[in-house]
Amino acid sequence: MKRVVVTGAGGFIAGHLVVTLKDKGYQVRAVDKKPVNQWYQVSEGVDNLVLDLTLKENCYQAVNGYNEVFNLAADMGGMGFIETHKAECMLSVLINTHMLMAARDCGINRFFYASSACVYNGEKQTDPDNPGLKEADAYPALAEDGYGWEKLFSERMCHHFTEDYGLITRVARFHNVYGPFGTYDGGREKAPAAICRKVIKKELYEKEEMVIWGDGRQTRSFMYIDDCIKGIIDIMYSNIEEPINLGSSEMVSINQLVDIVEGIAGCKLKRTYDLSAPKGVRGRNSDNTLIKHYLGWEPSVSLKVGLTHTYAWIREQMIRDKEMKTDITRRVQHDH
């Protein structure tokens, strides 16, 4: 039986990964620094540990007795977070460094590292009609300041641990992942979830206006969580030795993303544009030539289908939150 450690398991992507690996019959240890009651998904029959993996001794405890590691732990969020928390993002280097050392010393056979499209050279992302970033476009290096540099450095570290110690490492560069059981408010959410939240507010709170960061013409591709999980597992057990893109090649502008969500909701909002807000690069898309070559597959869940599922889940959470607030208000009024 495979015995696998998944780090960042209280988060969005790793939470889904734990569920899938458990369903495959693997013995799973799920690790996150957040208290378990704050995890997005908690799986029964899994060894759930609360450990801060920036601390070396905790990384040794996390991998002890297991064979493989999926390292998805990092301090991160959407553009609003990573542009204003560069030092915090850089400190995630401690997690990957200590996890690699623990993997080397404790006999781990395979190590997966979740990297990001933020490693790509910013000068190759100035055109909204980005033809797609090839893996080679990470060099010469000019990564997203803070978060992107940490990811690029950690990729190199994986490479050298393979080179020097024979540890099998696999690296995937994630392009904007979205779906249910993820952050949709609070500052760490990414664009699809944030836009779903803003549109749902029209229905629940009669908010007629939506603020969009930037001019809305910046472009991205967004990968649905199911595609991401399949990609992680397939890359982990492949012979792909170099970092590889894991993302959709269905590129849209932020305005088009809003159009899709409004279409799902059956409503229109007034749009205002905040040109001073964090907006990231001008155009980013995933060139999937390499993953198609190696795996004969690429992420393919359409944005409309994925957003329909995501919208429904976020709406459910927001209705529940509204009902709870109403209930609390009623009780307070009753007490007075």
Side-chain angles (χ1 to χ4, degrees):
M1 184 196 283
K2 281 191 184 295
R3 294 164 63 81
V4 302
V5 178
V6 178
T7 70
F12 163 48
I13 301 173
H16 282 274
L17 181 61
V18 168
V19 172
T20 304
L21 295 174
K22 181 184 168 251
D23 289 348
K24 283 180 173 290
Y26 294 8
Q27 189 170 333
V28 182
R29 173 175 283 166
V31 188
D32 202 284
K33 72 173 181 181
K34 295 191 292 288
V36 174
N37 64 0
Q38 290 176 24
W39 293 19
Y40 289 115
Q41 298 184 73
V42 180
S43 296
E44 300 218 348
V46 164
D47 184 19
N48 295 308
L49 296 184
V50 176
L51 294 170
D52 179 353
L53 297 175
T54 59
L55 303 174
K56 187 175 165 186
E57 60 272 22
N58 288 349
C59 294
Y60 281 77
Q61 185 185 334
V63 305
N64 190 28
Y66 281 68
N67 314 117
E68 297 175 347
V69 170
F70 290 86
N71 182 21
L72 282 79
D75 214 342
M76 61 86 66
M79 277 322 299
F81 182 81
I82 66 176
E83 281 202 5
T84 53
H85 296 76
K86 294 190 177 82
E88 269 176 70
C89 290
M90 293 294 284
L91 285 169
S92 295
V93 77
L94 294 171
I95 300 171
N96 197 53
T97 303
H98 293 145
M99 285 300 296
L100 281 168
M101 291 166 75
R104 175 197 64 192
D105 296 344
C106 297
I108 292 294
N109 305 326
R110 255 173 206 265
F111 187 100
F112 175 91
Y113 178 64
S115 186
S116 163
C118 290
V119 303
Y120 284 114
N121 186 316
E123 287 178 357
K124 295 180 186 285
Q125 300 173 78
T126 55
D127 182 0
D129 297 321
N130 192 307
L133 293 158
K134 296 184 178 67
E135 284 75 4
D137 290 336
Y139 297 95
L142 187 60
E144 181 87 43
D145 199 10
Y147 180 69
W149 278 106
E150 185 277 319
K151 289 293 184 189
L152 193 61
F153 177 83
S154 293
E155 284 188 9
R156 300 305 302 169
M157 191 169 267
C158 288
H159 172 74
H160 295 306
F161 265 69
T162 298
E163 201 174 54
D164 293 0
Y165 306 119
L167 174 65
I168 296 171
T169 60
R170 297 289 179 260
V171 175
R173 292 174 179 159
F174 294 177
H175 289 247
N176 291 315
V177 188
Y178 72 98
F181 295 99
T183 309
Y184 60 90
D185 63 5
R188 288 181 186 250
E189 69 277 15
K190 296 198 171 182
I195 289 165
C196 286
R197 183 193 75 236
K198 289 173 182 181
V199 173
I200 294 162
K201 274 189 167 177
K202 176 180 166 64
E203 178 195 343
L204 300 186
Y205 300 99
E206 296 175 1
K207 300 255 182 173
E208 296 296 333
E209 189 174 63
M210 175 191 297
V211 177
I212 293 171
W213 289 5
D215 62 6
R217 294 198 289 270
Q218 64 272 37
T219 55
R220 296 290 184 275
S221 67
F222 300 96
M223 168 173 49
Y224 189 59
I225 185 66
D226 292 5
D227 275 338
C228 182
I229 298 304
K230 174 174 169 49
I232 290 170
I233 294 168
D234 288 358
I235 290 164
M236 175 65 146
Y237 299 113
S238 73
N239 296 317
I240 305 168
E241 293 179 352
E242 69 265 44
I244 191 163
N245 278 332
L246 182 55
S248 166
S249 55
E250 183 189 350
M251 187 172 74
V252 292
S253 70
I254 299 302
N255 280 328
Q256 288 170 322
L257 184 65
V258 176
D259 291 342
I260 295 170
V261 177
E262 287 179 337
I264 292 164
C267 71
K268 285 273 181 203
L269 279 83
K270 180 174 183 290
R271 301 179 192 184
T272 57
Y273 295 91
D274 182 356
L275 301 183
S276 66
K279 46 199 169 284
V281 295
R282 195 72 184 137
R284 176 180 291 158
N285 192 19
S286 182
D287 182 307
N288 287 343
T289 308
L290 207 56
I291 197 167
K292 286 192 283 190
H293 166 71
Y294 280 120
L295 300 179
W297 172 87
E298 67 173 317
S300 59
V301 175
S302 77
L303 199 46
K304 175 121 193 255
V305 168
L307 280 170
T308 302
H309 294 310
T310 307
Y311 184 91
W313 182 81
I314 293 174
R315 184 175 177 274
E316 206 176 278
Q317 309 311 303
M318 288 177 67
I319 287 170
R320 192 196 62 201
D321 290 347
K322 187 184 182 190
E323 285 168 354
M324 277 168 62
K325 281 178 197 154
T326 308
D327 195 36
I328 290 164
T329 307
R330 270 202 213 102
R331 265 186 274 159
V332 168
Q333 287 168 344
H334 180 264
D335 291 344
H336 287 291

